[in-house]
């Protein structure tokens, strides 16, 4: 890709205005999160599904909305450059040339659009997969993994889009919400770590790693008090809503299509149950220890999450409290991974700050 430095002027026409396409991309990622939580609950409570189940349609609709909004921005930016009109770098970040400068794409929308495009390809594979094998009894099929990774890329693009407008209120709020959506969605990624160990130790460390990484990234990118705590509060709010919505939607849809629920259902919804309830505590630590090196804060935060994860699981599922030795092992491993997460998160946050010029023009 060829780098093309855009120009901006306060009197120039913005192509397009930043808030509208960013809101559509954000809404699409939120719709995908709701659809994913519903789909996972459906697999656990009911089991088989086809390509055109309602939870799948939520996933498709969310990715389609984000992809179309990204495409509109890319086409509008390309037309603006060809007509010699200035392109505001607040709209998705600096512009890069694509396919030999055939298209001019703000980097944030380029990432979100590429994620949506790959989602379409994996969606076609998923349709072929269902046509060949019929029902999926589990969520971890190869096309599903590709679909989930594609949505993650789109969510990363959404964070980048809002990070470029961090000097404006809507940019700050958007980054807080988009980061919170990415935190909640990343819990699905770490579920795959169940294959690493017989128990949940690897998953607990993975959850701690992803949460600390994203919190530290947001802290560095926003560089203002309250931002990280805002992410944790939004995550807690989404956790509460999905805790009620996912089981209800799975049961209501099963009744509507005439499929029975499985026996001995777990009262704890799957995706919301994976989200750490101690995230608000860790966010408070990140806020209060922001002057320390990122790797130190990451190690502390990851240790807290690693210790609390088995305690949360025992409390939610009514199991016996874990042995102290098992908790200490998870905590010891989480320290190392947390230090890496803190370091990487700080670096990623710094990269987000470079998506837009140091001084933006106020036009929110």
């Amino acid at each position: 890709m060829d780098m093309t430095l855009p120009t901006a002027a306060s009197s120039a026409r913005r192509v397009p205005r930043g808030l509208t396409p960013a809101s559509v991309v954000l809404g699409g990622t939120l719709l995908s999160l709701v659809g994913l939580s519903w789909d996972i609950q459906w697999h656990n409570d009911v089991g088989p599904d086809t390509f055109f189940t309602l939870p799948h349609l939520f996933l498709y609709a969310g990715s389609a909305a984000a992809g179309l909004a990204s495409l509109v921005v890319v086409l509008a930016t390309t037309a603006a450059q060809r007509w010699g009109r200035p392109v505001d770098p607040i709209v998705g970040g600096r512009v890069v040339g694509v396919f030999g400068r055939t298209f001019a794409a703000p980097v944030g929308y380029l990432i979100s659009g590429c994620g949506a495009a790959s989602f379409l390809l994996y969606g076609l594979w998923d349709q072929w997969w269902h046509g060949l094998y019929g029902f999926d009894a589990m969520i971890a099929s190869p096309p599903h993994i590709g679909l989930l990774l594609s949505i993650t890329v789109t969510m990363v693009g959404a964070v980048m889009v809002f990070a470029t407008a961090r000097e404006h209120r809507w940019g700050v709020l958007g980054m807080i919400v988009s980061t919170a959506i990415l935190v909640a969605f990343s819990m699905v990624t770490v579920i795959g770590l169940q294959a690493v160990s017989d128990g949940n130790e690897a998953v607990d460390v993975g959850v701690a790693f992803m949460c600390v990484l994203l919190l530290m990234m947001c802290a560095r990118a926003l560089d203002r008090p309250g931002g990280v705590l805002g992410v944790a509060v939004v995550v807690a709010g989404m956790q509460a809503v999905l805790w009620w919505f996912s089981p209800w939607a799975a049961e209501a849809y099963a009744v509507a299509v005439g499929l029975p629920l499985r026996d001995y259902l777990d009262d704890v919804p799957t995706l919301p149950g994976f989200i750490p309830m101690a995230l608000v505590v860790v966010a408070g630590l990140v806020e209060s220890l922001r002057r320390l090196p990122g790797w130190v804060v990451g190690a502390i935060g990851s240790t807290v999450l690693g210790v609390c994860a088995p305690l949360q699981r025992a409390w939610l599922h009514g199991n016996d409290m874990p042995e102290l030795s098992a908790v200490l092992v998870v905590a010891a491993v989480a320290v190392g991974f947390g230090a890496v997460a803190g370091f990487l998160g700080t670096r990623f946050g710094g990269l987000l700050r470079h998506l837009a010029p140091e001084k933006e023009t106020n036009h929110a």
Side-chain angles (χ1 to χ4, degrees):
M1 296 182 183
D2 299 315
M3 295 297 297
T4 304
L5 183 63
T7 60
S10 59
S11 59
R13 177 184 175 186
R14 270 78 195 182
V15 186
R17 298 191 70 87
L19 179 57
T20 301
S23 299
V24 176
V25 172
L26 182 64
T29 60
L30 181 59
L31 190 61
S32 295
L33 175 63
V34 173
L36 176 66
S37 182
W38 185 0
D39 190 45
I40 293 176
Q41 200 66 40
W42 174 266
H43 279 278
N44 287 342
D45 292 358
V46 183
D49 73 344
T50 63
F51 181 79
F52 291 107
T53 59
L54 199 54
H56 281 187
L57 295 180
F58 266 63
L59 284 166
Y60 308 148
S63 187
L68 289 175
S70 301
L71 178 61
V72 168
V73 173
V74 171
L75 294 179
T77 304
T78 302
Q81 284 207 340
R82 289 185 178 180
W83 284 95
R85 287 190 280 124
V87 178
D88 190 346
I90 296 303
V91 182
R94 300 181 183 275
V95 175
V96 296
V98 183
F99 299 130
R101 297 191 180 182
T102 302
F103 297 98
V107 64
Y109 287 105
L110 176 62
I111 298 300
S112 61
C114 286
S118 62
F119 183 92
L120 174 62
L121 297 177
Y122 281 112
L124 295 175
W125 184 17
D126 191 41
Q127 185 179 23
W128 173 84
W129 184 273
H130 283 288
L132 185 63
Y133 296 107
F135 288 142
D136 267 344
M138 298 181 66
I139 195 172
S141 66
H144 282 180
I145 294 174
L147 289 170
L148 296 177
L149 292 177
S150 299
I151 298 173
T152 301
V153 173
T154 299
M155 291 179 174
V156 171
V159 173
M160 296 171 66
V161 165
F162 285 103
T164 62
R166 65 184 181 275
E167 296 299 322
H168 307 282
R169 182 178 301 175
W170 65 267
V172 173
L173 294 177
M175 187 172 180
I176 288 174
V177 176
S178 60
T179 303
I181 293 174
L182 186 55
V183 169
F185 197 91
S186 67
M187 298 300 99
V188 182
T189 307
V190 302
I191 291 177
L193 294 175
Q194 289 176 333
V196 176
S197 61
D198 295 334
N200 293 285
E201 293 82 5
V203 174
D204 294 341
V205 173
V207 168
F209 179 87
M210 291 303 301
C211 289
V212 168
L213 174 70
L214 295 174
L215 289 180
M216 295 298 295
M217 178 192 73
C218 185
R220 177 67 183 95
L222 289 181
D223 195 23
R224 65 181 66 198
V228 176
L229 195 58
V231 172
V233 171
V234 174
V235 171
M238 292 189 297
Q239 183 181 26
V241 172
L242 293 176
W243 198 286
W244 161 81
F245 173 79
S246 300
W248 171 83
E251 181 177 359
Y253 187 45
V255 172
V257 298
L259 289 176
L261 296 175
R262 288 175 171 170
D263 296 331
Y264 308 109
L265 295 180
D266 195 341
D267 294 333
V268 180
T270 308
L271 178 57
F274 269 99
I275 299 175
M277 296 179 177
L279 193 64
V280 175
V281 176
V282 174
L285 289 174
V286 173
E287 294 277 7
S288 60
L289 302 176
R290 56 189 303 177
R291 295 187 178 275
L292 295 179
W295 67 270
V296 175
V297 181
I300 296 173
S302 185
T303 302
V304 173
L305 292 175
V307 170
C308 292
L311 301 179
Q312 174 177 318
R313 191 164 46 250
W315 174 60
L316 290 178
H317 297 277
N319 300 332
D320 295 333
M321 297 301 292
E323 296 182 0
L324 180 60
S325 58
V327 175
L328 293 178
V329 168
V330 173
V333 177
V335 169
F337 278 92
V340 175
F343 173 79
L344 292 178
T346 302
R347 293 291 184 177
F348 292 159
L351 292 176
L352 289 176
R353 294 184 62 85
H354 287 291
L355 291 175
E358 289 296 327
K359 295 182 180 180
E360 293 96 343
T361 303
N362 290 325
H363 55 80

